[in-house]
Amino acid sequence: MPTRDSAWPQGTPCWVDCSVDDPAEARAYYAELLGWDILDSPPEAGGYLMAMLDGHPAAGIGPKMGDVAMPSVWTTYLAADDADAVAGAITAAGGAVFMPPFDVMDVGRMCVAADPAGAVFGLWQAKAHKGAGVFNQPGAYCWNELHTTEYSPAQDFYRQVFGWSFQEIGDGENFIYSTFALPGANQPSGGLMDTTPLPGDMPPNWLTWFQVGNTDTTLARAARLGSTTLMGPDDSPFGRMAVIQAPQGEVFGILDPNVTIGAPPE
């Protein structure tokens, strides 16, 4: 069982949470869908819920912040050694900081920002809460990827802010996709996908993928819980996958890496 109890290296997708209108409804939904044990936080946490998997923090669920209308969403947080310094790098690279860095009690320091194309992500500077304590197992997140219509500019932005390097693995025409790795790392930490060739007008966004034990069984359970399947199920070299929209509107992916077809790109 892959677990972690220390802060993640800067630039790593280190945490995910969803913002919804009704956290109690989301609590029941994800507890049944992904097998989470969802705990209450202290009153000063503003109704934020902590999803646990085998005793380790897996994800968060909370009410929408602020007074501006927004859809229900899953947010990917990227680790920051110094959230204030990274926030400055974001604006210098042409991004926007929507919520300047602030302390979250004694658990960490966070920020909400967007890249130049508008894809929103968070920063997390770990203190008492290190981020995800479990990953790459059923019920935990296993991959985070940016979907964008500004593919090359996005690479330039994240390279400037986090020092990522990119490896192209798509065909360059119908499937334009790269993985990103941290400075000096050989293993990818996530991916970027050019959505320009795809139908529809989905705005740039970060998509969270959760690992499941059986994609089709999970899809059937999700349907019973009121979800909509937006894509799949499809087989790939990386696993059997699908994209789901939960009853409150947030979108996420599910993946069973044990059911594959073909070989992954070199």
Side-chain angles (χ1 to χ4, degrees):
M1 180 178 66
T3 61
R4 187 180 182 92
D5 58 8
S6 59
W8 291 82
Q10 179 161 295
T12 309
C14 69
W15 186 244
V16 294
D17 66 17
C18 67
S19 299
V20 293
D21 291 311
D22 189 340
E25 180 182 317
R27 178 183 205 156
Y29 172 82
Y30 287 104
E32 184 167 350
L33 185 70
L34 297 175
W36 290 344
D37 180 18
I38 302 177
L39 307 179
D40 294 318
S41 294
E44 58 269 29
Y48 196 83
L49 305 173
M50 186 68 69
M52 308 293 288
L53 188 65
D54 296 328
H56 301 278
I61 299 172
K64 296 175 182 178
M65 295 182 289
D67 299 324
V68 179
M70 60 173 284
S72 297
V73 294
W74 275 100
T75 299
T76 293
Y77 290 79
L78 304 174
D81 296 335
D82 182 333
D84 296 80
V86 177
I90 288 169
T91 55
V97 174
F98 296 142
M99 189 174 294
F102 65 96
D103 290 324
V104 183
M105 300 178 293
D106 65 343
V107 299
R109 189 165 175 82
M110 68 168 283
C111 167
V112 178
D115 63 27
V120 175
F121 60 94
L123 297 178
W124 184 255
Q125 179 182 338
K127 294 182 181 178
H129 176 61
K130 308 304 181 185
V134 60
F135 56 99
N136 293 358
Q137 72 158 339
Y141 79 95
C142 60
W143 192 247
N144 302 79
E145 65 188 14
L146 172 66
H147 292 186
T148 184
T149 54
E150 301 291 336
Y151 184 73
S152 293
Q155 289 182 328
D156 292 339
F157 170 80
Y158 291 99
R159 184 183 293 113
Q160 182 174 338
V161 175
F162 294 106
W164 291 349
S165 59
F166 297 91
Q167 177 67 45
E168 300 293 336
I169 66 169
D171 60 16
E173 183 176 350
N174 299 309
F175 179 56
I176 304 172
Y177 195 102
S178 60
T179 59
F180 64 83
L182 306 183
N186 295 321
Q187 295 297 318
S189 293
L192 271 75
M193 181 176 181
D194 186 348
T195 58
T196 305
L198 303 180
D201 56 358
M202 178 68 71
N205 67 95
W206 276 90
L207 180 67
T208 297
W209 291 85
F210 294 103
Q211 186 170 325
V212 296
N214 184 296
T215 298
D216 296 86
T217 299
T218 304
L219 279 177
R221 186 183 308 124
R224 291 196 300 271
L225 294 171
S227 312
T228 301
T229 300
L230 302 180
M231 184 198 81
D234 298 308
D235 293 319
S236 79
F238 307 101
R240 186 162 174 80
M241 58 182 64
V243 176
I244 294 173
Q245 186 171 40
Q248 296 192 62
E250 70 274 18
V251 175
F252 59 96
I254 58 171
L255 172 71
D256 177 0
N258 298 308
V259 179
T260 60
I261 183 170
E266 292 292 339

